[in-house]
Amino acid sequence: MPIDMIVNGEAKQSAADPMTPLVDVLRDEFHLTGAKPVCREGFCGACTVLVDGEPRAACLTPAGLAQGREIGTVEGLSAGGRLNPVQASLVEHDAVQCGMCFPGMVVTLTHFLAQTPRPSRDQVRAALTGNACRCTGYERIVAAALDVAGA
Ligand code: FES
Ligand code: FES
């Protein structure tokens, strides 16, 4: 039975087995390659997407659980091809190194700053505990997030 979901505001249908990881459906069927399947174990955060507005590891989310839900990927966060404030600040702070972690970082930080517009440094650091940067660029990432918040 096909799986119906809304992805970045668009109705999509997948023919995948319901146990297929959502990250694979997004990438292989819908050609949304922002979310990265890096660890596939739920701890690096590179595959983070929004499921009904909440950040989730798409590597551990079976596609069947997306049935009838709204999925948001990093591609949906730059309306009209323009960087959102989080993305622009990360670029401004020269925070991007290899870039592998950044789709997840952007999804997590965009969601976090919408919920917590004036965070402390510790709150930003806590928000990023599920997003690993193997290039260890955390200081610049935190600084970029605080700049967006005007802290
Ligand atoms: S690939 Fe999903 S958390 Fe690492
Ligand atoms: S920039 Fe390389 S993993 Fe974060």
Side-chain angles (χ1 to χ4, degrees):
M1 195 154 109
I3 303 164
D4 292 298
M5 63 188 96
I6 307 291
V7 181
N8 299 332
E10 245 183 73
K12 297 274 190 190
Q13 193 172 73
S14 168
D17 181 283
M19 289 308 289
T20 306
L22 179 59
V23 67
D24 293 331
V25 169
L26 293 171
R27 293 174 59 86
D28 300 342
E29 279 193 62
F30 303 157
H31 308 297
L32 294 167
T33 55
K36 303 281 184 270
V38 176
C39 71
R40 288 190 177 272
E41 290 181 354
F43 81 94
C44 79
C47 66
T48 305
V49 299
L50 300 174
V51 177
D52 283 346
E54 291 301 318
R56 294 278 178 263
C59 66
L60 295 186
T61 304
L65 281 188
Q67 169 63 41
R69 295 181 189 270
E70 303 239 0
I71 309 300
T73 72
V74 69
E75 288 90 345
L77 295 180
S78 42
R82 289 218 310 274
L83 298 182
N84 81 6
V86 171
Q87 292 168 315
S89 188
L90 288 165
V91 170
E92 202 172 306
H93 282 264
D94 205 11
V96 186
Q97 296 182 72
C98 81
M100 191 61 95
C101 67
F102 267 82
M105 289 280 182
V106 168
V107 171
T108 296
L109 283 175
T110 301
H111 173 266
F112 168 69
L113 290 170
Q115 309 293 314
T116 315
R118 306 281 299 178
S120 65
R121 172 173 290 269
D122 284 348
Q123 284 176 308
V124 174
R125 290 170 65 95
L128 289 176
T129 50
N131 292 82
C133 176
R134 73 183 64 190
C135 302
T136 68
Y138 294 106
E139 279 308 311
R140 290 180 186 185
I141 294 168
V142 171
L146 289 171
D147 239 21
V148 173

